[in-house]
Amino acid sequence: MVLFGGTGDLARRKLLPSLFDAHHAGLLHPSARILATGSQPLGTGDYVASLEQSVRPAHALPESWEKFCARICYVHADARVPAHFDALAEKVLSRKPGAVVCYLATAPHLFVPICEQLARTGLNRPTVRIVLEKPLGHDLESNEAINSAVAKFFGEDQIYRIDHYLGKESVQNLMAIRFGNALFEPLWRREWVQDVQITIAEELGVETRGDFYDGTGALRDMVQNHLLQLLCMVAMEPPASLSEDAIRDEKIKILKALKPIAPQDVAGNTVRGQYRSGAIGGKPVPGYLEEQGIAPDSHTETFVAIKAEIANWRWAGVPFYLRTGKRMPSRVAEIVIQFREVPHPIFPRPLGLSTQNRLVIRLQPEESIRLYCLVKQPGDTLALTPTSLDLDLATSSRARRAGAYERLLLDVIRGRLGLFVRRDEQVQAWRWVEPILDTWRNSMVPAKPYTAGTWGPAASSALLSRDGALWHEEV
Ligand code: BG6
């Protein structure tokens, strides 16, 4: 594995720890090697020593960590210096033939120069796979420009566009729940589902990524990719098989069926917010405009809520409420399927409580699946009381659960494309979000402020209450 951006934040926070976990679990081939590259001229010894502090997990036993480090080698590679790539290629090609994974964990403007150099030095042969990290462009045009440039050197079956949400165990479990049980699928449609909510809330603010984030915003950072991918997994038709294109073919149909939000409907169907100072977990936190690297008059959104609709037979008329934000009260990612009321209620309604069934699939902080139902209240009257059927996925199986990046890295190594995003999916997702971005930009209406530690601007609740619905946490 050749890791471009080996000294960067992603490599240190996610990729190397995930590779260590795979190594520790015995999932890396004994001869697998990691060649980290970066623009700083470092020796392997210094590089590996630097990992001790920033990468080594607390659970790494000395022997296992040493063996992992012995797999690593550092090569100085600046994308503007062809000679660096000659040396790199020589090193890679001198090894026994086998799969080569080039992971581009760099700034996106380096993707094309790196691919050019890889091709020039023969590192685009069929056994080479490249992994492209998001963001892949900042709009449809720039996304297409990168994809077209990369396609000159690599076939689509060599390109792994990563969306780490697809590597989360519970996202795959969603497929298992839907298509492995006879119970849910017949109900998974407009006749029985009132609405679907997908939330990805973070406690964190923009941290040290202000420069990047201020030019990006939550719609590009989270909705265009993670939220729309989750929406596809919830809404797609059963694929004919588990083959990579069978699944991706179904996802693209959903993206194509997403009803475009016309400029005149953007204000009524979307909410964008920006956090102000507040408190999270009892600790004061600064507002977005006070964060490092943020323009003092920035309009960038740190919160988005959208009412989307899928125009097909299964979902016509069912609102899909999407929401994501930074500096929310807690870190939670979940999908909520809100079922309709029974057609003819015969029991007295429990006061102030919802009588609708609801399936809550929680991705984080813990993985769980909870089905809210009603049962009889003990006693001599036939009154109902809510209860839930719980599947606590973390404790229901003792099998080790790989993190999202580990799972996806192993998939690349094994040549499995199913959990990676195809080019047409990306194009379609950009096509859907771009008019929203344009309308926001042209409207000159600033993002609505919300206090850090709350669930976003009041307009987010209003978006649902107009339809008689409530966000799940607020119930
Ligand atoms: C990344 C975004 O893709 O996902 C970040 O760029 C965000 O802004 C992160 O914090 C969230 O991922 P997770 O897995 O921690 O929910």
Side-chain angles (χ1 to χ4, degrees), residues 68-244:
F68 175 66
C69 290
R71 294 180 185 271
I72 302 176
C73 155
Y74 182 85
V75 174
H76 177 205
D78 183 322
R80 291 159 303 185
V81 184
H84 287 172
F85 280 76
D86 293 330
L88 179 81
E90 201 181 312
K91 220 175 174 87
V92 175
L93 298 173
S94 66
R95 290 178 49 81
K96 273 200 293 192
V100 177
V101 175
C102 294
Y103 199 119
L104 274 57
T106 62
H109 72 270
L110 294 174
F111 289 175
V112 178
I114 291 175
C115 288
E116 268 165 9
Q117 291 300 328
L118 290 174
R120 187 186 61 78
T121 53
L123 278 179
N124 64 340
R125 55 190 59 185
T127 49
V128 178
R129 297 162 198 157
I130 55 160
V131 186
L132 302 178
E133 252 301 335
K134 66 177 266 283
L136 222 64
H138 59 274
D139 56 15
L140 180 58
E141 193 183 341
S142 52
N143 174 261
E144 272 296 79
I146 297 177
N147 275 325
S148 303
V150 173
K152 283 193 205 140
F153 310 113
F154 292 90
E156 182 65 24
D157 60 346
Q158 293 175 278
I159 304 173
Y160 291 68
R161 295 179 195 84
I162 204 159
D163 183 315
H164 76 278
Y165 264 73
L166 293 182
K168 292 189 192 268
E169 186 78 12
S170 37
V171 175
Q172 292 150 56
N173 214 345
L174 176 60
M175 287 230 296
I177 288 274
R178 282 194 62 191
F179 308 131
N181 296 286
L183 189 63
F184 295 109
E185 192 47 27
L187 305 179
W188 212 265
R189 56 190 68 249
R190 64 191 300 280
E191 290 79 1
W192 294 105
V193 174
Q194 180 177 301
D195 65 62
V196 176
Q197 302 179 12
I198 308 180
T199 295
I200 305 180
E202 299 181 86
E203 281 182 25
L204 293 178
V206 289
E207 311 302 299
T208 52
R209 297 160 75 224
D211 287 336
F212 156 76
Y213 195 87
D214 207 30
T216 304
L219 192 72
R220 290 187 177 95
D221 189 41
M222 301 294 286
V223 178
Q224 188 274 342
N225 33 66
H226 306 321
L227 274 160
L228 289 186
Q229 284 292 328
L230 292 182
L231 176 135
C232 287
M233 299 302 268
V234 174
M236 70 182 183
E237 293 299 313
S241 73
L242 283 179
S243 82
E244 50 212 36

Side-chain angles (χ1 to χ4, degrees), residues 25 73 133 269 341 396 468:
C73 155
E133 252 301 335
N269 288 282
E341 289 277 4
S396 62

